[in-house]
Amino acid sequence: MKDKKNRTLIITLAVIAIFLFGYFQYNTFYDKLGKPQVATGKTNNSYNVGVDLERSKVEKAEDKPDFKLSAKGAVLLDAQSNHVLYSKNGNEELPMASTTKIMTCIVALEYGNMDDIVTFSKRAASMPDVQLNAKTGARFKLGDLLYSLMLESHNDTAVAIAEHVGGSVEGFAKMMNKKAKELGLSHTNFVTPNGLDAVEHYTTAKELAMIASYAIKNEDFVKITNTPNWTFKEENSKSTYSVQNKNRFLSLMPGAMGVKTGFTNNAGYCFVGALKRNDKTLISVVLGSGWPPHKTYKWKDTQYLMNYGLDHFGYRNVSENLQPLYNMSVLNGKQDAIGLEMDISNKQVLLRNSDVVDLIYSIPDQLEAPIRKGDQVGTVTYYINGEKYMDVPVTSKNTVAKKDYRFCLDKIIDLFLSAW
């Protein structure tokens, strides 16, 4: 009897001990499941051994362009990746004249109904050359006016489109600037839909190239800018209007896709070109490429840029030297480690043979639970010739919950039972 009481007492004390230990574990580890918290350890630098970004900036002499451009600002862009292949003052804010109409056209295509009837206001009809010469009150289909806008660069048409789609020129400018922000552009601002000189109306060669890169992914935009001529009627009088494509670049190089010319006294001659040949799609931009009488400088500059891209660049996988991502240890988690992953698809970029790709890993030594599957826990930054190209997030492969009272108690019971 006495042995039975002693045994009962021992078991009772053991259970009390288990619950007391579990209680203290609960107070130490329990927390509601929330956002992942990176431990305060240092970044894991074992990934970045041997990387020297300053060394990677050195350009080999044989890869330097052998041409001199007339343009104040110029860029050559890989349309697939938006990687800049060549830049001359590419980030300088400059006026862009009628190349503005690339954004006017794409906003109208995305927000307008091509069968809508557009009425020319007094303001639209008063625009200076180049004009469709439509009278106040003239009515046209929006779809027809886009050919007037892009083939002959009519300034009155641009205002009529803006007033119809945006309610006013000012309202349409807000739509243009909203689209610019959606494209990640921070040095572009639109005031007019036609590109006539205005204070605070500007872009950069690089950002204008990014607008064009976006625009040529729209099939209707490409169809319009590649059409040789277009005939349409005014809805009231049934008068016939014909417009001819003034873009000489379409006949200068095989694979040319447009896109838009421009000129004002302030901006000089400007041109945005697109070319598709074999597996390459290139965007060129030249701003301030001469003033009268040097109307042909923009064509020469554009051909220099396009030939440079065709002759010196080929697609490479910038993730070819990506290191395996190790499992990362987890503090206070129900598992001790977690797997990592990142998206390495579609990382083909136009590069020269000598271009150097570096990857900088920003991944901590340790994480603290809780962690959900898909949470970003780090970043891999790609550099091309020492210049930042893109960030790719590193995410968790699975979920790791934080230790709680029940988890600790179960572990203690398992240990207690295994000791027997």
Side-chain angles (χ1 to χ4, degrees):
M1 190 71 177
K2 186 175 181 181
D3 289 341
K4 186 176 181 180
K5 287 183 178 180
N6 288 338
R7 187 174 180 183
T8 301
L9 179 62
I10 291 171
I11 292 174
T12 301
L13 291 173
V15 170
I16 292 172
I18 290 170
F19 275 96
L20 286 175
F21 189 77
Y23 174 77
F24 286 116
Q25 293 296 323
Y26 167 85
N27 283 334
T28 303
F29 295 123
Y30 180 75
D31 195 4
K32 291 182 179 179
L33 190 65
K35 295 181 179 179
Q37 303 207 358
V38 176
T40 56
K42 296 180 180 179
T43 297
N44 189 340
N45 288 316
S46 61
Y47 290 103
N48 301 322
V49 174
V51 176
D52 185 347
L53 295 179
E54 291 301 318
R55 179 202 63 206
S56 299
K57 290 181 181 180
V58 178
E59 184 177 41
K60 291 185 178 180
E62 63 266 26
D63 286 321
K64 291 182 179 179
D66 59 357
F67 53 79
K68 186 175 182 181
L69 300 181
S70 300
K72 288 180 64 177
V75 153
L76 179 67
L77 193 81
D78 170 18
Q80 177 175 299
S81 65
N82 278 355
H83 172 51
V84 174
L85 311 182
Y86 171 89
S87 177
K88 175 185 177 182
N89 302 323
N91 294 315
E92 182 179 343
E93 294 175 356
L94 295 168
M96 62 287 207
S98 284
T99 61
T100 295
K101 291 164 184 162
I102 298 171
M103 182 65 95
T104 304
C105 185
I106 201 67
V107 170
L109 283 169
E110 292 183 353
Y111 292 95
N113 183 333
M114 297 303 104
D115 292 324
D116 275 1
I117 301 301
V118 177
T119 301
F120 271 63
S121 67
K122 183 178 180 180
R123 180 179 184 179
S126 69
M127 288 294 109
D129 286 342
V130 181
Q131 295 176 309
L132 180 62
N133 288 316
K135 305 298 183 184
T136 302
R139 302 166 70 242
F140 301 88
K141 285 186 177 180
L142 175 59
D144 288 330
L145 289 181
L146 292 182
Y147 289 89
S148 165
L149 178 78
M150 298 305 290
L151 270 57
E152 292 208 15
S153 198
H154 292 143
N155 293 320
D156 50 353
T157 295
V159 171
I161 291 170
E163 290 177 335
H164 179 80
V165 176
S168 66
V169 166
E170 294 74 20
F172 191 77
K174 289 180 180 179
M175 296 174 71
M176 297 169 80
N177 288 322
K178 180 182 177 183
K179 175 59 67 174
K181 286 184 173 57
E182 289 173 2
L183 297 177
L185 312 182
S186 56
H187 295 281
T188 294
N189 191 67
F190 294 101
V191 176
T192 73
N194 48 29
L196 294 177
D197 290 332
V199 178
E200 296 302 310
H201 187 88
Y202 57 83
T203 188
T204 68
K206 178 183 177 180
E207 294 194 354
L208 186 54
M210 292 172 69
I211 293 171
S213 175
Y214 175 80
I216 65 169
K217 294 175 175 64
N218 185 302
E219 292 181 0
D220 292 326
F221 180 90
V222 174
K223 177 187 174 184
I224 292 168
T225 56
N226 282 267
T227 298
N229 53 72
W230 190 257
T231 300
F232 55 98
K233 293 183 181 295
E234 196 272 328
E235 294 294 315
N236 294 330
S237 65
K238 302 303 178 183
S239 299
T240 299
Y241 287 75
S242 294
V243 290
Q244 310 295 318
N245 200 322
K246 304 297 186 182
N247 187 352
R248 185 184 164 200
F249 180 63
L250 289 170
S251 61
L252 284 180
M253 297 186 73
M257 299 169 60
V259 179
K260 189 72 189 73
T261 58
F263 173 80
T264 65
N265 289 331
N266 193 26
Y269 290 110
C270 304
F271 181 64
V272 179
L275 182 145
K276 186 172 185 178
R277 194 182 298 179
N278 300 325
D279 60 343
K280 300 175 185 177
T281 303
L282 304 174
I283 303 290
S284 66
V285 172
V286 292
L287 300 176
S289 184
W291 273 257
H294 304 296
K295 192 173 183 178
T296 62
Y297 283 5
K298 63 181 180 289
W299 305 127
K300 186 179 292 185
D301 282 351
T302 298
Q303 287 176 292
Y304 280 145
L305 289 170
M306 291 299 194
N307 284 322
Y308 179 62
L310 292 171
D311 295 342
H312 292 271
F313 290 83
Y315 280 107
R316 280 168 46 192
N317 181 5
V318 294
S319 293
E320 60 188 0
N321 294 322
L322 182 69
Q323 297 183 46
L325 297 175
Y326 314 125
N327 288 345
M328 186 182 298
S329 64
V330 179
L331 284 175
N332 299 335
K334 291 185 178 181
Q335 290 86 42
D336 294 330
I338 192 169
L340 306 179
E341 60 186 359
M342 60 181 284
D343 179 15
I344 59 172
S345 61
N346 195 27
K347 298 297 185 289
Q348 297 287 327
V349 180
L350 278 180
L351 298 173
R352 298 168 297 185
N353 289 333
S354 63
D355 284 340
V356 178
V357 178
D358 291 307
L359 279 63
I360 298 294
Y361 300 76
S362 299
I363 300 173
D365 285 321
Q366 205 169 46
L367 292 176
E368 184 173 355
I371 305 163
R372 291 190 180 96
K373 180 180 180 180
D375 280 336
Q376 182 173 345
V377 298
T379 304
V380 176
T381 302
Y382 288 67
Y383 290 83
I384 298 175
N385 299 328
E387 300 294 332
K388 183 177 177 179
Y389 170 57
M390 66 176 176
D391 289 323
V392 178
V394 176
T395 58
S396 55
K397 278 187 177 181
N398 50 289
T399 295
V400 176
K402 195 168 186 175
K403 291 177 181 178
D404 56 16
Y405 170 74
R406 179 61 183 271
F407 174 82
C408 296
L409 186 60
D410 287 345
K411 288 293 185 183
I412 294 165
I413 291 174
D414 287 344
L415 289 171
F416 180 79
L417 293 177
S418 65
W420 287 79

